[in-house]
Every structure is written in C-alpha cells, then in structure tokens.
Amino acid sequence: MVVFMKSNVFMDSLVAKIRDSKTTISNAEWICENTTLQGKPYSFKNHEFQIGIVNDTFPRICTIKTSQIGLTECSSRKTLAFLARNTGTRCMYSFPDIRLRNNNSKTRFGPLIRDAFPPKSSDIRSTELYQINSSFLYMASCSESDATSNPVDMLVVDEIDLANQEIVVLLNSRIQHSQYKIREVLSTPTFSDYGIDAEYKTSDQRQYVYKCEHCNNVFVPQYDLKHVYFPNMPKDVEDLVFDVSPDIAAILDYDNAYVRCPNCLKPINPADASRREWVAKYPERSNSKHGYQLLPFSSGLLSIKYLVTTVAEGIAKNQARRVINTTLGETYNGGDSRLTASEIEKCFVTPKCPEIPKDKPIFFGLDMGMGCHLTIVSADGGEVLKFEVIPQEKVEERITDLLENYNVINGMIDRAPFIPTAYKLRDISEGRVFPVVYSENNKRAVPYKEVTGDIAYYQVDRTLALDAVTEAVRSGKIKFYGYANQHDVIVTHLMDMVRDDSDEKIRYLKLKGNDHYFHSLGYALTAVYLKAMTDAMSDVPTGSFVGFNGVSQKPLDCYDILSYFKTLRK
C-alpha cells in the first residue's frame, strides 16, 4: 500500500536540511553545491568578490557595479538560497520593466530553478511566479500592481537606476510585515545622488581593497594613471578617461602595461583574491546598511586593453555617460545632463524684486505642495521678477491678490496634489490661469476640455517644459530678480534634475526631490509660450509684448518651444 503524504512545513524544512547535508554551510557553499552554470557546478573562480556579497545576510544591502560583472547571476542564486533554506518564505525580484523581467525570468531564473529543483507536478512555475518547495519567488516589473500585491520576506530591486523611483519606494511596503524584512538593491550607476549612488552613500561603503605584496599598502585599484602604468603613454595625457583618444589607444604598449600600487609603484595582480577583502569605509554605519562597490579591477576579467579601447571609443562617439556608467561603474556628472552651479549663477542679478507696474503684462508658474513655489516672469520669459514660497493654506489668497492687482496674462499651476484648489484658481481667474498635468505626448500644451467645451486643464509634455528651463538657464537668456534670501534654494532646485537620454524616451530624473522651482519655472515659461501660440494663431501684430528688458517678442516665428526661447535676448 502506497501512502501519499501532503507537503507540510516540517517535512519541507527537514528535506531542505538533508539537502544541505549540514545546516551551517554558507550561502556561497550552498550555491556551489546546489546550482549550475552552463552544465557545470557553479564556481566563484574569477568572481571571488561575489563571495562576501552572497554570504552577507544583513537585511539591508546595496551594490553599485559595472555592467556584465555577473552580479545578477550571483544575486539570483543568493535569492534561491534564501528561499530554499528558509521554508515557506517569499521573495519579490524586480526588474525595471516587463521586457527585462521576462528575459531574465526565461533565460536565467527559469533554468536555474529547474536544474536546482526539478518541478513536481503540483509546483507552480511561470514567468511571473516560481514555486520552490513551499517557498515562492515573484518576478516583478516595478509596476504599481507589483507594489500593491503580495507581501514578501525578501525584496530585490535589480537595476534600480532604470526603475521608476516612486514605484521603488512603494515596493518597500511589501516587506514591512515580515520577520526578515530583507531589502537588496543593485545597479549600474547613472547620476550622482540618484538611485544606487544615493543608496551607497548612506551605507557603510564597503570597498574591495588590495594589500600590496611589495609594501603592504592597502588601497582600491582604480582606473586612472595613478594605478595604471603604460611605458609609452604620451606626456600630455593627464586623464586616462578623457585624454586618451582612439588614436592614442591604438599605439599604447599593452603588453608591458600593468596595474600598480600607488605607493611603491610596483606591479600588482588585481585577480589575486588572497590579497583582497571587503572593508567598510564607515564601519559605524554597518548596523544600518551594508554597501558594496564593484569597479573594473574588482576582478581579473577586464584587461587594461579592453578598458582603454572601450572608454576611448565611447568618449569619441559622445557616449561619455554610457561608458563611465557601464564600463567604469561610476556616476556621470557632465554638464550636458545637469545644470551646473556656474551656469545657474550667471542668471542671478539682484535679490531685490523690481517694481512691477500694474499695466505691464506678467506670467507666472506655481508648483503646488505644502509649500507652493511661485515664479513671476516678464512677458517675454526673459526675466524672473520674483521667487516666492506660499503656504498651501494661503495660496488662494495670494493668487487672487495677484490677479486683482497686476496684469496677469497667463498662469500655469500644478493640478496635483490639491486638485480642488487648482480648479478654484482656474475659475477665479476667468480663463487666465490653468491647471497643468504632465504628459509624454511630445506636444508643448494640449487643452483637455470638459463636456461643456470649457478647458479643464492643459496636458504639458514634461520633458519639453523642463528642456525650456534648461535651455533658458544654460544659454543665459533668462535673468533672476527678486529671489531675496533664496539664492541657495534656487540653485539646489535647478540642480536636482538630470536629463536622461539613455534610451529612446528622454526624461528628467529627480535626484533628491528638491526641484520645486524647476517645475514652477517650467510652468511659467509654458504660460508665456501658450500666449505666444495663441497670438500667432490669432494673427496678433508682431511686437505686441515688450518684456521688462525692453526686448520685443515675435511670436509668429515661435512654434517650437526650444526655438522660441532661443529667440529671447538675442
């Protein structure tokens, strides 16, 4: 007589312990004993840096990395080890989008789990969900539905810099009722203070140090001329990243080049794992978050020749950000993606607000929040006349005063988060002020009408609106007055957005969320633009507006927003 036993937590736990042979082995040992890669038992050879990461069981871990260094391969196995060795647990492994989720689920996680745990007839196995004994792995795509779905014990966010940061915050709620509360994030970096870089900066910042066999100096091998020696490097080359052209890269003596100790200048072997270990730069933070940084010489897989030629070609093709992020594992801070302090500084004229005659046309933008940020601009958009923060409870009173006592032509306000207030200000203004909803329609301002035919709000392409601000500031064609004691605040807000063109969809990314005047100014310039377009279509005579700087505007030539603002102050 055959007796069929239903699966239960005790038996699954016992089976897991038997499978381990012993209960005290590390995650790295478990991974090597129970998983395979290309048909062979998994090995950490040439990837010894991974051992410290997979054996770290601290609940909050972040890892900043170069591309194609095997970290997702390592992370997937660490995730599997947790689920297999902790019966009845659940993990959510999130990628930035559905395409990456599906690709990794089908080509990496699926084969890994199938080989380590051949499926039973009752097991659930799909692209979105894998059952491992009585544990479950949810494959997510960083969507809002993922963030409001199942509670889990472990959350892994892969390539966090490519993910929607608002959804990433929501994903954290999935672990808040777990006894484990494990959260691990990993990514190739993009911009300073964003995503994985922000995570790493608040961690204990572990670095994979090397102890020199010649002088016992302890250091982190870096990709620069201090650590990389070439016998025939031209003397005028001072920066290994930006000064080496493809022509120079082609003639370098790679056979006799080497990584060296910056102290004794003798050759070292970065691949010698016996001389390497993870060391925290800020050990006092180790009770909060563990952070790991992987650089090109964290393993011996990337040759000096590969690094030099790849970086040189990328820089020559105007792909500096991509090679710095992916090949070198460093953040990119180039001025082409983010306004610089010096660019913004050139716009400041005086903290005093100029006298605004009541008959002079003005425009404004208002970013709504608990503190509402107002920018009042001249008719040609060439001058910000006043920067002002208004408490949310007083915003209706302030805007009403502005409408009653000044010649407000157009104003644009953030519809959210206070939608009733935004609509009330629209109604009070009698068609001069409109709520704005950001979109990605590649159109500068599209009216959304109610059934009555009245305009409810405008859909404004977010990237185009913020591009207008960037262009105006960078070109110096906008000047700042009336900023009182807010000089540093304005600089901070205008530097808190970076323009990301890493894929087909160009977008602006928030760094720390202190970007209110950036949006307020974007709304104000949109208001100017909207009036210019209205006049152009109505055939209003050229030069009907004269800005506070005395420059006449020619709206008939200004159908493209960037071209429009480039005409200012020529």
Side-chain angles (χ1 to χ4, degrees), residues 92-110:
M92 178 178 290
Y93 200 110
S94 182
F95 287 95
D97 54 44
I98 292 178
R99 181 183 63 83
L100 283 173
R101 189 275 309 275
N102 289 348
N103 287 346
N104 279 278
S105 180
K106 293 175 182 178
T107 64
R108 183 167 284 162
F109 284 82

mmCIF file with all atom_site columns, all heavy atoms in Angstrom, residues 92-110:
data_model
loop_
_atom_site.group_PDB
_atom_site.id
_atom_site.type_symbol
_atom_site.label_atom_id
_atom_site.label_alt_id
_atom_site.label_comp_id
_atom_site.label_asym_id
_atom_site.label_entity_id
_atom_site.label_seq_id
_atom_site.pdbx_PDB_ins_code
_atom_site.Cartn_x
_atom_site.Cartn_y
_atom_site.Cartn_z
_atom_site.occupancy
_atom_site.B_iso_or_equiv
_atom_site.pdbx_formal_charge
_atom_site.auth_seq_id
_atom_site.auth_comp_id
_atom_site.auth_asym_id
_atom_site.auth_atom_id
_atom_site.pdbx_PDB_model_num
ATOM 1   N N   . MET A 1 92  ? 10.260 38.846 -3.720  1.00 0.00 ? 92  MET A N   1
ATOM 2   C CA  . MET A 1 92  ? 9.925  39.571 -4.950  1.00 0.00 ? 92  MET A CA  1
ATOM 3   C C   . MET A 1 92  ? 11.222 40.064 -5.564  1.00 0.00 ? 92  MET A C   1
ATOM 4   O O   . MET A 1 92  ? 11.990 40.786 -4.922  1.00 0.00 ? 92  MET A O   1
ATOM 5   C CB  . MET A 1 92  ? 8.995  40.747 -4.677  1.00 0.00 ? 92  MET A CB  1
ATOM 6   C CG  . MET A 1 92  ? 8.659  41.551 -5.938  1.00 0.00 ? 92  MET A CG  1
ATOM 7   S SD  . MET A 1 92  ? 7.502  42.915 -5.617  1.00 0.00 ? 92  MET A SD  1
ATOM 8   C CE  . MET A 1 92  ? 6.000  41.986 -5.295  1.00 0.00 ? 92  MET A CE  1
ATOM 9   N N   . TYR A 1 93  ? 11.483 39.636 -6.790  1.00 0.00 ? 93  TYR A N   1
ATOM 10  C CA  . TYR A 1 93  ? 12.680 40.062 -7.515  1.00 0.00 ? 93  TYR A CA  1
ATOM 11  C C   . TYR A 1 93  ? 12.206 40.959 -8.649  1.00 0.00 ? 93  TYR A C   1
ATOM 12  O O   . TYR A 1 93  ? 11.538 40.507 -9.576  1.00 0.00 ? 93  TYR A O   1
ATOM 13  C CB  . TYR A 1 93  ? 13.442 38.851 -8.056  1.00 0.00 ? 93  TYR A CB  1
ATOM 14  C CG  . TYR A 1 93  ? 14.895 39.152 -8.376  1.00 0.00 ? 93  TYR A CG  1
ATOM 15  C CD1 . TYR A 1 93  ? 15.919 38.619 -7.611  1.00 0.00 ? 93  TYR A CD1 1
ATOM 16  C CD2 . TYR A 1 93  ? 15.243 39.981 -9.435  1.00 0.00 ? 93  TYR A CD2 1
ATOM 17  C CE1 . TYR A 1 93  ? 17.256 38.902 -7.891  1.00 0.00 ? 93  TYR A CE1 1
ATOM 18  C CE2 . TYR A 1 93  ? 16.571 40.267 -9.724  1.00 0.00 ? 93  TYR A CE2 1
ATOM 19  C CZ  . TYR A 1 93  ? 17.570 39.718 -8.939  1.00 0.00 ? 93  TYR A CZ  1
ATOM 20  O OH  . TYR A 1 93  ? 18.885 39.990 -9.213  1.00 0.00 ? 93  TYR A OH  1
ATOM 21  N N   . SER A 1 94  ? 12.561 42.244 -8.587  1.00 0.00 ? 94  SER A N   1
ATOM 22  C CA  . SER A 1 94  ? 12.007 43.228 -9.521  1.00 0.00 ? 94  SER A CA  1
ATOM 23  C C   . SER A 1 94  ? 13.048 43.748 -10.508 1.00 0.00 ? 94  SER A C   1
ATOM 24  O O   . SER A 1 94  ? 14.172 44.107 -10.126 1.00 0.00 ? 94  SER A O   1
ATOM 25  C CB  . SER A 1 94  ? 11.417 44.408 -8.747  1.00 0.00 ? 94  SER A CB  1
ATOM 26  O OG  . SER A 1 94  ? 10.837 45.345 -9.628  1.00 0.00 ? 94  SER A OG  1
ATOM 27  N N   . PHE A 1 95  ? 12.654 43.783 -11.779 1.00 0.00 ? 95  PHE A N   1
ATOM 28  C CA  . PHE A 1 95  ? 13.428 44.427 -12.837 1.00 0.00 ? 95  PHE A CA  1
ATOM 29  C C   . PHE A 1 95  ? 12.716 45.705 -13.266 1.00 0.00 ? 95  PHE A C   1
ATOM 30  O O   . PHE A 1 95  ? 11.527 45.891 -12.971 1.00 0.00 ? 95  PHE A O   1
ATOM 31  C CB  . PHE A 1 95  ? 13.593 43.478 -14.026 1.00 0.00 ? 95  PHE A CB  1
ATOM 32  C CG  . PHE A 1 95  ? 14.556 42.347 -13.761 1.00 0.00 ? 95  PHE A CG  1
ATOM 33  C CD1 . PHE A 1 95  ? 14.091 41.111 -13.334 1.00 0.00 ? 95  PHE A CD1 1
ATOM 34  C CD2 . PHE A 1 95  ? 15.920 42.520 -13.925 1.00 0.00 ? 95  PHE A CD2 1
ATOM 35  C CE1 . PHE A 1 95  ? 14.966 40.067 -13.076 1.00 0.00 ? 95  PHE A CE1 1
ATOM 36  C CE2 . PHE A 1 95  ? 16.809 41.496 -13.672 1.00 0.00 ? 95  PHE A CE2 1
ATOM 37  C CZ  . PHE A 1 95  ? 16.334 40.260 -13.244 1.00 0.00 ? 95  PHE A CZ  1
ATOM 38  N N   . PRO A 1 96  ? 13.383 46.619 -13.990 1.00 0.00 ? 96  PRO A N   1
ATOM 39  C CA  . PRO A 1 96  ? 12.780 47.922 -14.309 1.00 0.00 ? 96  PRO A CA  1
ATOM 40  C C   . PRO A 1 96  ? 11.535 47.862 -15.190 1.00 0.00 ? 96  PRO A C   1
ATOM 41  O O   . PRO A 1 96  ? 10.703 48.754 -15.136 1.00 0.00 ? 96  PRO A O   1
ATOM 42  C CB  . PRO A 1 96  ? 13.916 48.669 -15.024 1.00 0.00 ? 96  PRO A CB  1
ATOM 43  C CG  . PRO A 1 96  ? 15.160 48.010 -14.552 1.00 0.00 ? 96  PRO A CG  1
ATOM 44  C CD  . PRO A 1 96  ? 14.813 46.571 -14.358 1.00 0.00 ? 96  PRO A CD  1
ATOM 45  N N   . ASP A 1 97  ? 11.426 46.844 -16.045 1.00 0.00 ? 97  ASP A N   1
ATOM 46  C CA  . ASP A 1 97  ? 10.264 46.782 -16.935 1.00 0.00 ? 97  ASP A CA  1
ATOM 47  C C   . ASP A 1 97  ? 9.942  45.335 -17.285 1.00 0.00 ? 97  ASP A C   1
ATOM 48  O O   . ASP A 1 97  ? 10.663 44.405 -16.909 1.00 0.00 ? 97  ASP A O   1
ATOM 49  C CB  . ASP A 1 97  ? 10.508 47.603 -18.211 1.00 0.00 ? 97  ASP A CB  1
ATOM 50  C CG  . ASP A 1 97  ? 11.789 47.199 -18.939 1.00 0.00 ? 97  ASP A CG  1
ATOM 51  O OD1 . ASP A 1 97  ? 12.043 45.983 -19.083 1.00 0.00 ? 97  ASP A OD1 1
ATOM 52  O OD2 . ASP A 1 97  ? 12.533 48.091 -19.377 1.00 0.00 ? 97  ASP A OD2 1
ATOM 53  N N   . ILE A 1 98  ? 8.854  45.146 -18.012 1.00 0.00 ? 98  ILE A N   1
ATOM 54  C CA  . ILE A 1 98  ? 8.387  43.801 -18.346 1.00 0.00 ? 98  ILE A CA  1
ATOM 55  C C   . ILE A 1 98  ? 9.376  43.073 -19.244 1.00 0.00 ? 98  ILE A C   1
ATOM 56  O O   . ILE A 1 98  ? 9.605  41.863 -19.089 1.00 0.00 ? 98  ILE A O   1
ATOM 57  C CB  . ILE A 1 98  ? 7.000  43.871 -19.017 1.00 0.00 ? 98  ILE A CB  1
ATOM 58  C CG1 . ILE A 1 98  ? 5.951  44.334 -17.997 1.00 0.00 ? 98  ILE A CG1 1
ATOM 59  C CG2 . ILE A 1 98  ? 6.598  42.525 -19.602 1.00 0.00 ? 98  ILE A CG2 1
ATOM 60  C CD1 . ILE A 1 98  ? 4.558  44.490 -18.572 1.00 0.00 ? 98  ILE A CD1 1
ATOM 61  N N   . ARG A 1 99  ? 9.973  43.788 -20.199 1.00 0.00 ? 99  ARG A N   1
ATOM 62  C CA  . ARG A 1 99  ? 10.912 43.132 -21.115 1.00 0.00 ? 99  ARG A CA  1
ATOM 63  C C   . ARG A 1 99  ? 12.097 42.540 -20.367 1.00 0.00 ? 99  ARG A C   1
ATOM 64  O O   . ARG A 1 99  ? 12.454 41.372 -20.580 1.00 0.00 ? 99  ARG A O   1
ATOM 65  C CB  . ARG A 1 99  ? 11.412 44.145 -22.161 1.00 0.00 ? 99  ARG A CB  1
ATOM 66  C CG  . ARG A 1 99  ? 12.380 43.540 -23.185 1.00 0.00 ? 99  ARG A CG  1
ATOM 67  C CD  . ARG A 1 99  ? 12.889 44.619 -24.129 1.00 0.00 ? 99  ARG A CD  1
ATOM 68  N NE  . ARG A 1 99  ? 13.652 45.634 -23.431 1.00 0.00 ? 99  ARG A NE  1
ATOM 69  C CZ  . ARG A 1 99  ? 14.936 45.521 -23.110 1.00 0.00 ? 99  ARG A CZ  1
ATOM 70  N NH1 . ARG A 1 99  ? 15.610 44.403 -23.401 1.00 0.00 ? 99  ARG A NH1 1
ATOM 71  N NH2 . ARG A 1 99  ? 15.562 46.488 -22.489 1.00 0.00 ? 99  ARG A NH2 1
ATOM 72  N N   . LEU A 1 100 ? 12.703 43.322 -19.476 1.00 0.00 ? 100 LEU A N   1
ATOM 73  C CA  . LEU A 1 100 ? 13.830 42.804 -18.698 1.00 0.00 ? 100 LEU A CA  1
ATOM 74  C C   . LEU A 1 100 ? 13.385 41.694 -17.757 1.00 0.00 ? 100 LEU A C   1
ATOM 75  O O   . LEU A 1 100 ? 14.097 40.704 -17.557 1.00 0.00 ? 100 LEU A O   1
ATOM 76  C CB  . LEU A 1 100 ? 14.484 43.940 -17.909 1.00 0.00 ? 100 LEU A CB  1
ATOM 77  C CG  . LEU A 1 100 ? 15.380 44.891 -18.701 1.00 0.00 ? 100 LEU A CG  1
ATOM 78  C CD1 . LEU A 1 100 ? 15.824 46.061 -17.838 1.00 0.00 ? 100 LEU A CD1 1
ATOM 79  C CD2 . LEU A 1 100 ? 16.595 44.158 -19.256 1.00 0.00 ? 100 LEU A CD2 1
ATOM 80  N N   . ARG A 1 101 ? 12.198 41.844 -17.172 1.00 0.00 ? 101 ARG A N   1
ATOM 81  C CA  . ARG A 1 101 ? 11.670 40.805 -16.299 1.00 0.00 ? 101 ARG A CA  1
ATOM 82  C C   . ARG A 1 101 ? 11.508 39.492 -17.050 1.00 0.00 ? 101 ARG A C   1
ATOM 83  O O   . ARG A 1 101 ? 11.948 38.434 -16.593 1.00 0.00 ? 101 ARG A O   1
ATOM 84  C CB  . ARG A 1 101 ? 10.326 41.273 -15.714 1.00 0.00 ? 101 ARG A CB  1
ATOM 85  C CG  . ARG A 1 101 ? 9.736  40.381 -14.605 1.00 0.00 ? 101 ARG A CG  1
ATOM 86  C CD  . ARG A 1 101 ? 8.909  39.207 -15.121 1.00 0.00 ? 101 ARG A CD  1
ATOM 87  N NE  . ARG A 1 101 ? 7.891  39.518 -16.073 1.00 0.00 ? 101 ARG A NE  1
ATOM 88  C CZ  . ARG A 1 101 ? 6.650  39.918 -15.782 1.00 0.00 ? 101 ARG A CZ  1
ATOM 89  N NH1 . ARG A 1 101 ? 6.284  40.072 -14.526 1.00 0.00 ? 101 ARG A NH1 1
ATOM 90  N NH2 . ARG A 1 101 ? 5.779  40.153 -16.763 1.00 0.00 ? 101 ARG A NH2 1
ATOM 91  N N   . ASN A 1 102 ? 10.872 39.555 -18.211 1.00 0.00 ? 102 ASN A N   1
ATOM 92  C CA  . ASN A 1 102 ? 10.620 38.336 -18.984 1.00 0.00 ? 102 ASN A CA  1
ATOM 93  C C   . ASN A 1 102 ? 11.909 37.688 -19.470 1.00 0.00 ? 102 ASN A C   1
ATOM 94  O O   . ASN A 1 102 ? 12.077 36.464 -19.408 1.00 0.00 ? 102 ASN A O   1
ATOM 95  C CB  . ASN A 1 102 ? 9.714  38.652 -20.167 1.00 0.00 ? 102 ASN A CB  1
ATOM 96  C CG  . ASN A 1 102 ? 8.290  38.961 -19.751 1.00 0.00 ? 102 ASN A CG  1
ATOM 97  O OD1 . ASN A 1 102 ? 7.913  38.728 -18.597 1.00 0.00 ? 102 ASN A OD1 1
ATOM 98  N ND2 . ASN A 1 102 ? 7.497  39.491 -20.656 1.00 0.00 ? 102 ASN A ND2 1
ATOM 99  N N   . ASN A 1 103 ? 12.832 38.518 -19.976 1.00 0.00 ? 103 ASN A N   1
ATOM 100 C CA  . ASN A 1 103 ? 14.102 37.974 -20.473 1.00 0.00 ? 103 ASN A CA  1
ATOM 101 C C   . ASN A 1 103 ? 14.871 37.265 -19.374 1.00 0.00 ? 103 ASN A C   1
ATOM 102 O O   . ASN A 1 103 ? 15.371 36.144 -19.564 1.00 0.00 ? 103 ASN A O   1
ATOM 103 C CB  . ASN A 1 103 ? 14.957 39.090 -21.074 1.00 0.00 ? 103 ASN A CB  1
ATOM 104 C CG  . ASN A 1 103 ? 14.436 39.566 -22.418 1.00 0.00 ? 103 ASN A CG  1
ATOM 105 O OD1 . ASN A 1 103 ? 13.591 38.913 -23.028 1.00 0.00 ? 103 ASN A OD1 1
ATOM 106 N ND2 . ASN A 1 103 ? 14.918 40.705 -22.883 1.00 0.00 ? 103 ASN A ND2 1
ATOM 107 N N   . ASN A 1 104 ? 14.981 37.903 -18.228 1.00 0.00 ? 104 ASN A N   1
ATOM 108 C CA  . ASN A 1 104 ? 15.736 37.305 -17.126 1.00 0.00 ? 104 ASN A CA  1
ATOM 109 C C   . ASN A 1 104 ? 15.013 36.110 -16.523 1.00 0.00 ? 104 ASN A C   1
ATOM 110 O O   . ASN A 1 104 ? 15.649 35.133 -16.128 1.00 0.00 ? 104 ASN A O   1
ATOM 111 C CB  . ASN A 1 104 ? 16.016 38.359 -16.047 1.00 0.00 ? 104 ASN A CB  1
ATOM 112 C CG  . ASN A 1 104 ? 17.189 39.242 -16.388 1.00 0.00 ? 104 ASN A CG  1
ATOM 113 O OD1 . ASN A 1 104 ? 18.342 38.878 -16.184 1.00 0.00 ? 104 ASN A OD1 1
ATOM 114 N ND2 . ASN A 1 104 ? 16.895 40.410 -16.942 1.00 0.00 ? 104 ASN A ND2 1
ATOM 115 N N   . SER A 1 105 ? 13.696 36.175 -16.470 1.00 0.00 ? 105 SER A N   1
ATOM 116 C CA  . SER A 1 105 ? 12.938 35.050 -15.920 1.00 0.00 ? 105 SER A CA  1
ATOM 117 C C   . SER A 1 105 ? 13.097 33.803 -16.786 1.00 0.00 ? 105 SER A C   1
ATOM 118 O O   . SER A 1 105 ? 13.304 32.701 -16.279 1.00 0.00 ? 105 SER A O   1
ATOM 119 C CB  . SER A 1 105 ? 11.459 35.434 -15.797 1.00 0.00 ? 105 SER A CB  1
ATOM 120 O OG  . SER A 1 105 ? 10.703 34.359 -15.276 1.00 0.00 ? 105 SER A OG  1
ATOM 121 N N   . LYS A 1 106 ? 13.010 33.996 -18.098 1.00 0.00 ? 106 LYS A N   1
ATOM 122 C CA  . LYS A 1 106 ? 13.046 32.847 -19.012 1.00 0.00 ? 106 LYS A CA  1
ATOM 123 C C   . LYS A 1 106 ? 14.448 32.293 -19.225 1.00 0.00 ? 106 LYS A C   1
ATOM 124 O O   . LYS A 1 106 ? 14.627 31.077 -19.346 1.00 0.00 ? 106 LYS A O   1
ATOM 125 C CB  . LYS A 1 106 ? 12.439 33.250 -20.346 1.00 0.00 ? 106 LYS A CB  1
ATOM 126 C CG  . LYS A 1 106 ? 10.948 33.552 -20.286 1.00 0.00 ? 106 LYS A CG  1
ATOM 127 C CD  . LYS A 1 106 ? 10.438 34.062 -21.621 1.00 0.00 ? 106 LYS A CD  1
ATOM 128 C CE  . LYS A 1 106 ? 8.958  34.409 -21.557 1.00 0.00 ? 106 LYS A CE  1
ATOM 129 N NZ  . LYS A 1 106 ? 8.457  34.946 -22.847 1.00 0.00 ? 106 LYS A NZ  1
ATOM 130 N N   . THR A 1 107 ? 15.440 33.167 -19.291 1.00 0.00 ? 107 THR A N   1
ATOM 131 C CA  . THR A 1 107 ? 16.788 32.712 -19.649 1.00 0.00 ? 107 THR A CA  1
ATOM 132 C C   . THR A 1 107 ? 17.712 32.508 -18.460 1.00 0.00 ? 107 THR A C   1
ATOM 133 O O   . THR A 1 107 ? 18.738 31.850 -18.590 1.00 0.00 ? 107 THR A O   1
ATOM 134 C CB  . THR A 1 107 ? 17.453 33.718 -20.606 1.00 0.00 ? 107 THR A CB  1
ATOM 135 O OG1 . THR A 1 107 ? 17.638 34.969 -19.927 1.00 0.00 ? 107 THR A OG1 1
ATOM 136 C CG2 . THR A 1 107 ? 16.604 33.937 -21.844 1.00 0.00 ? 107 THR A CG2 1
ATOM 137 N N   . ARG A 1 108 ? 17.356 33.054 -17.306 1.00 0.00 ? 108 ARG A N   1
ATOM 138 C CA  . ARG A 1 108 ? 18.256 32.969 -16.158 1.00 0.00 ? 108 ARG A CA  1
ATOM 139 C C   . ARG A 1 108 ? 17.602 32.273 -14.961 1.00 0.00 ? 108 ARG A C   1
ATOM 140 O O   . ARG A 1 108 ? 18.074 31.235 -14.501 1.00 0.00 ? 108 ARG A O   1
ATOM 141 C CB  . ARG A 1 108 ? 18.729 34.381 -15.783 1.00 0.00 ? 108 ARG A CB  1
ATOM 142 C CG  . ARG A 1 108 ? 19.717 34.430 -14.651 1.00 0.00 ? 108 ARG A CG  1
ATOM 143 C CD  . ARG A 1 108 ? 20.349 35.813 -14.574 1.00 0.00 ? 108 ARG A CD  1
ATOM 144 N NE  . ARG A 1 108 ? 21.344 36.039 -15.598 1.00 0.00 ? 108 ARG A NE  1
ATOM 145 C CZ  . ARG A 1 108 ? 21.789 37.228 -15.975 1.00 0.00 ? 108 ARG A CZ  1
ATOM 146 N NH1 . ARG A 1 108 ? 21.302 38.310 -15.438 1.00 0.00 ? 108 ARG A NH1 1
ATOM 147 N NH2 . ARG A 1 108 ? 22.731 37.341 -16.902 1.00 0.00 ? 108 ARG A NH2 1
ATOM 148 N N   . PHE A 1 109 ? 16.508 32.815 -14.469 1.00 0.00 ? 109 PHE A N   1
ATOM 149 C CA  . PHE A 1 109 ? 15.871 32.249 -13.281 1.00 0.00 ? 109 PHE A CA  1
ATOM 150 C C   . PHE A 1 109 ? 15.218 30.901 -13.559 1.00 0.00 ? 109 PHE A C   1
ATOM 151 O O   . PHE A 1 109 ? 15.331 29.970 -12.754 1.00 0.00 ? 109 PHE A O   1
ATOM 152 C CB  . PHE A 1 109 ? 14.829 33.230 -12.715 1.00 0.00 ? 109 PHE A CB  1
ATOM 153 C CG  . PHE A 1 109 ? 15.427 34.384 -11.978 1.00 0.00 ? 109 PHE A CG  1
ATOM 154 C CD1 . PHE A 1 109 ? 15.903 35.491 -12.669 1.00 0.00 ? 109 PHE A CD1 1
ATOM 155 C CD2 . PHE A 1 109 ? 15.523 34.378 -10.597 1.00 0.00 ? 109 PHE A CD2 1
ATOM 156 C CE1 . PHE A 1 109 ? 16.461 36.571 -11.992 1.00 0.00 ? 109 PHE A CE1 1
ATOM 157 C CE2 . PHE A 1 109 ? 16.077 35.441 -9.911  1.00 0.00 ? 109 PHE A CE2 1
ATOM 158 C CZ  . PHE A 1 109 ? 16.549 36.542 -10.611 1.00 0.00 ? 109 PHE A CZ  1
ATOM 159 N N   . GLY A 1 110 ? 14.523 30.795 -14.698 1.00 0.00 ? 110 GLY A N   1
ATOM 160 C CA  . GLY A 1 110 ? 13.848 29.547 -15.023 1.00 0.00 ? 110 GLY A CA  1
ATOM 161 C C   . GLY A 1 110 ? 14.794 28.354 -15.076 1.00 0.00 ? 110 GLY A C   1
ATOM 162 O O   . GLY A 1 110 ? 14.595 27.360 -14.362 1.00 0.00 ? 110 GLY A O   1
#
